[in-house]
Amino acid sequence: MHTTPNEAYVEMVTRYAEVMAADERAYLGYHAWEVFYGTPAGDVRLPEGYTAARARRRRRLLGRQPQDRA
């Protein structure tokens, strides 16, 4: 069965919630996950506090922090 991106997102959030309901310590593991985002300049790790307003600076982010490439 093919799902839309929104359906897939809801499915994954639901699964994460089920895991955390079964073991509250799972939140700590999920909270520490790093987030990577694909850009035309390459995949980058989004720093804590990242906002969409900063998206235009992704090339500079890659240049300053090459270790953040996926």
Side-chain angles (χ1 to χ4, degrees), residues 10-33:
V10 170
E11 173 72 19
M12 293 312 300
V13 169
T14 300
R15 289 182 184 189
Y16 290 137
E18 290 169 349
V19 169
M20 288 187 284
D23 181 356
E24 63 187 37
R25 295 172 299 162
Y27 170 79
L28 298 174
Y30 289 142
H31 180 30
W33 277 6

Side-chain angles (χ1 to χ4, degrees), residues 34-57:
E34 295 179 330
V35 176
F36 285 84
Y37 181 75
T39 73
D43 292 345
V44 296
R45 181 182 58 86
L46 300 181
E48 185 176 335
Y50 182 85
T51 65
R54 295 172 57 193
R56 290 183 294 278
R57 297 184 231 164

